[in-house]
Structure formats: C-alpha cells, structure tokens
Amino acid sequence: MDELAYQRWWQLHTEMLCRILASCFAILPHTLAIAQEPPRVLVTDSGVETATIGPGAPAHTIGLKRHEQTIVLDTAVQSFALRYVVARDPNNPQAAIPGEGYIGMPKPEGANWYASGFFDLRINGESVGKTLIHSLTGRSSEGRATADFVFDTSQAVVRVRFVAKAGGDCLFAQALLEPKAAIDSVRIALRCYPSAFVSDADRHVLTSTRDFAQGERAELDVATQWWTLYYDSIYDAGYIGPTRSGAGPCAALWLPGQTENARFSVASYGIETVLDLKPTLRDFRFVFFDYAGKKNEAAKSDLRGRAPALLEELATFTFTDPSLANWPLPRKLAEIRQVLASVPQDKDSAAQYEVWSRKLAAQLELMRSGAAGTIMAEAETAEIIGQWQSRLPALKLQALLNEI
C-alpha cells in the first residue's frame, strides 16, 4: 500500500471510529437516565409454543396440538411465571380444550398454584377457558409489571390481569368483564397442591378464624373469612420425603364485598376452592402468594400480619395500566419516521409502521373514551406496541450503519 492509499485508509477508518463514538456518547445520557429510573419488574415472554400432546397428558387431549405461552414477572424478590396452556380443537379454530385448566403458575412452585391450571373463571356455568384466548401480553412500567389474559367469549369479553410490583412477593389479580348477555352467575375456582404433589400428605387450610384439617369441608363466613393459606404439616418447606421435597405453602386473599359464597374440601392431594361472586359486579379482585421456601409457621405469621393492609390496598388498587393509556403516539411516530428516513430502502417497515400508527390512534381514542370495547382496544394496543418496539432495535442499527 503506497503512502497516499494508506493515508486515505487511515482517514476513512478514523472517520468511522469518530461516528461510532459520537453515537455512543449520544445514547450515554439515555443510558444513565435508565440507570436512575425506579426499580422495574423484568418481563419475559416465551411466545406461543405448539407441539403434539403425548402420553401422560389428560386422555382427552392426547394427540391434539398444544397451544402454550408463558410470561414471567421477576420482581427481584420473587419470580412469577403465568402460563396459558390448552389443546386446540381441530374442528373449531375458535375453541380450546383445557386439559386440567388453562391459566397456570409454574413458578415459584408449580405444585402450589397449579402450573397446569390454578385459576378458572366460569360465567353462567361455562368456563371462559373453552374459548381460545384472544391474546396474552406482558409489559413492565413505572415499578410494576402486567400480564393480561384476554378472552372474547359468547357471554362476555373477559380480561384476567396479574400485576407484580417491583420488590414485591405477591401477585395482584383482577377479572374484568364486559358482558354481551345477561350474567346470572360468576364463579372462580382455584386449585393448589400445597407444597408438593404427594398423596402421603397432611393437608390443611388456615383461615382468619380456624384451621381446617384434611378431610374437612368448609363453608366460609365471607364477611370474616376472606383469606386462605394452604399448607402441608408433613411436607413443610425443606422436608425431604421418599419421592418429593416440601416447597412451602401458598395463599389467596379476596374482597369480601364481591363474594356470595366461599367453600372448599381439604382433600389429601389437590384442593379446589370455589368462590361464588356477585353477578351484578364486573370487577373482581384477588391477591396470590406462593410462599415457596418459607416454613408454614413463618407464612402463617406473615399473612396474618399483612392481611388487613393488603385487603385495604386491594380494594383501591389501580389495575389501569398507564403505560398503555398514556402511550405518546405523536412522539413515537415522529421518532420512528426519523429512523425510517435513514433507511429509505426498507419500504416494508415504513408501510408497517404507518398501519400500526393508524390502528393505535383509533384504539387509544377508544381506550381514553371509557366506552364499551375498552378491554379489546387495550389488548390490541398492547399487541401493536409490543410489535412496534420489537422491530425498532434492528431498524436503529441499520440506520446507524447507513450513516457510517
């Protein structure tokens, strides 16, 4: 390489290095701002996963296609995994076939709030899980994270929302209904296998007024008994049995004013708690604990001490997600158009963002109006924003490369 060529080579590479450094310094203030933000809940989404269901599953689902998706909310204190899992009906694409359930919680401990289905909402005697889910989305903002299960059934549009707070050890949950027909009954069935999947157990359910032992049935006084703690006196946390180890108990809390009846039987394996809710209401609220790793007595003391404050917090808890309702579409649109101007060759992305922006404008207007259809508008908004943001990093990288 002659001297002139070398000087040109050195100039080009020096210019490239300066551009890269300039870009890095340009994003540094943004990076520092992120570091100074309040604690966040980390959200991961598996996406929809499908497979043929094999032996070991409920007999009525074997050979069918599984539809599964898991969202994990990590608060830095506790990691909650929320799973949607059903079989697909080959003769009806809008229908779903639950195996043992459809909303499960495989983490912290899959035996506590059952990984394959712990939460079943039934309207007029029909499980919403028999309708294929419209969408499952997760996101994090302002010190909390949200996972939304949305169902568009023949009787109602339903959103089951779970919220975890940064540094928190419990899940706040809401079942929100937009009826399409008369609602005569609303029922929630909760299923757990306290501490472990074992049959040589000694199950118990503790309430505010008494401890129900294995084999007993309970019809609760809903005015005074509005929380339940499920534990096993043998398989306590840390106990090592012949085939299983104890994980620790789990618990639920709900609003007494929304409840007509609460009952359960303390079975030797799984325990199902049935809550008959007031059908005139549209907003039903709960708190769930998984005390994995905590001894029975410690969990009892913790829940007894916190229950009154939790009840008060749940009654006024803001389930509205401001990250959706307040999403700044004009600013986001201006930002993406600036990026797209640097990648003029990517016509597909430009067209896609224009489509998304028009859809978002309509859905955000509906959400902010408070009119009927808010649940579906919010679900559509969450999906589009997720797609918008996931496509953006690759576009920004290509724009940077084009400038170098």
Side-chain angles (χ1 to χ4, degrees):
M1 180 183 297
D2 59 33
E3 184 176 352
L4 183 61
Y6 176 79
Q7 289 176 350
R8 180 57 180 159
W9 176 87
W10 178 256
Q11 181 182 7
L12 288 172
H13 282 72
T14 301
E15 289 176 355
M16 182 181 296
L17 179 60
C18 288
R19 286 177 177 271
I20 292 173
L21 288 173
S23 299
C24 291
F25 282 116
I27 66 172
L28 183 58
H30 178 66
T31 304
L32 292 174
I34 291 174
Q36 295 169 1
E37 284 182 356
R40 295 174 65 87
V41 183
L42 180 64
V43 177
T44 55
D45 185 343
S46 70
V48 175
E49 300 173 322
T50 60
T52 300
I53 300 174
H60 66 285
T61 66
I62 294 174
L64 300 177
K65 288 292 184 183
R66 177 186 289 112
H67 177 113
E68 183 174 318
Q69 184 179 355
T70 302
I71 290 180
V72 179
L73 312 179
D74 187 347
T75 73
V77 169
Q78 190 73 279
S79 185
F80 296 100
L82 295 158
R83 174 186 293 163
Y84 175 72
V85 56
V86 294
R88 298 293 299 272
D89 185 340
N91 300 314
N92 184 352
Q94 299 304 314
I97 304 174
E100 296 174 282
Y102 55 99
I103 297 178
M105 194 190 300
K107 289 181 181 180
E109 170 54 50
N112 274 336
W113 294 117
Y114 185 37
S116 293
F118 83 97
F119 188 98
D120 181 18
L121 172 61
R122 305 166 190 172
I123 300 175
N124 295 338
E126 186 80 5
S127 172
V128 304
K130 292 184 177 180
T131 299
L132 186 67
I133 196 168
H134 170 272
S135 59
L136 171 53
T137 56
R139 57 206 167 273
S140 179
S141 68
E142 301 184 13
R144 60 189 237 168
T146 302
D148 282 348
F149 296 71
V150 176
F151 301 86
D152 188 4
T153 77
S154 60
Q155 300 183 93
V157 177
V158 176
R159 187 192 72 204
V160 180
R161 169 168 287 176
F162 296 93
V163 177
K165 299 193 297 183
D169 64 349
C170 62
L171 274 179
F172 292 83
Q174 178 197 46
L176 189 67
L177 279 55
E178 287 183 357
K180 299 179 181 179
I183 295 181
D184 299 316
S185 68
V186 179
R187 175 175 291 178
I188 297 284
L190 307 173
R191 184 188 301 179
C192 65
Y193 299 80
S195 199
F197 296 112
V198 289
S199 55
D200 59 332
D202 183 28
R203 308 296 205 195
H204 288 257
V205 181
L206 179 72
T207 73
S208 58
T209 60
R210 62 166 292 189
D211 189 315
F212 293 88
Q214 187 166 299
E216 291 189 286
R217 295 176 180 270
E219 184 94 19
L220 301 183
D221 174 5
V222 295
T224 60
Q225 295 172 298
W226 35 264
W227 58 260
T228 43
L229 185 139
Y230 308 82
Y231 72 97
D232 192 288
S233 67
I234 298 173
Y235 284 83
D236 199 354
Y239 175 81
I240 300 176
T243 59
R244 301 275 185 175
S245 299
C250 59
L253 181 151
W254 58 88
L255 296 179
Q258 72 187 22
T259 313
E260 290 186 335
N261 180 282
R263 62 192 183 276
F264 54 80
S265 296
V266 189
S268 61
Y269 191 48
I271 301 175
E272 183 174 87
T273 302
V274 176
L275 305 176
D276 289 316
L277 305 175
K278 294 180 179 179
T280 55
L281 301 181
R282 301 293 174 256
D283 178 345
F284 305 99
R285 298 169 170 229
F286 313 87
V287 177
F288 293 101
F289 281 92
D290 188 325
Y291 283 113
K294 185 164 288 192
K295 293 283 190 180
N296 293 333
E297 292 306 313
K300 292 176 187 179
S301 176
D302 180 75
L303 187 57
R304 282 189 179 115
R306 295 168 63 184
L310 272 172
L311 181 64
E312 184 176 346
E313 182 179 9
L314 180 61
T316 58
F317 193 84
T318 301
F319 280 96
T320 302
D321 185 352
S323 71
L324 295 182
N326 300 328
W327 203 71
L329 178 59
R331 177 167 63 83
K332 296 290 186 178
L333 188 55
E335 290 173 357
I336 191 60
R337 283 175 174 164
Q338 184 176 2
V339 174
L340 289 167
S342 299
V343 285
Q345 72 278 14
D346 194 343
K347 305 294 186 184
D348 290 342
S349 290
Q352 182 62 78
Y353 274 99
E354 286 302 319
V355 170
W356 283 338
S357 66
R358 288 195 298 271
K359 289 183 176 178
L360 278 173
Q363 301 296 355
L364 287 168
E365 183 178 358
L366 178 56
M367 285 171 55
R368 291 162 183 165
S369 73
T374 300
I375 291 176
M376 293 303 293
E378 193 176 54
E380 296 283 355
T381 297
E383 283 196 294
I384 294 172
I385 290 175
Q387 294 168 335
W388 180 299
Q389 293 174 333
S390 66
R391 195 161 182 165
L392 193 54
L395 275 176
K396 286 185 173 180
L397 177 59
Q398 187 59 55
L400 177 62
L401 294 173
N402 283 358
E403 292 176 1
I404 294 175

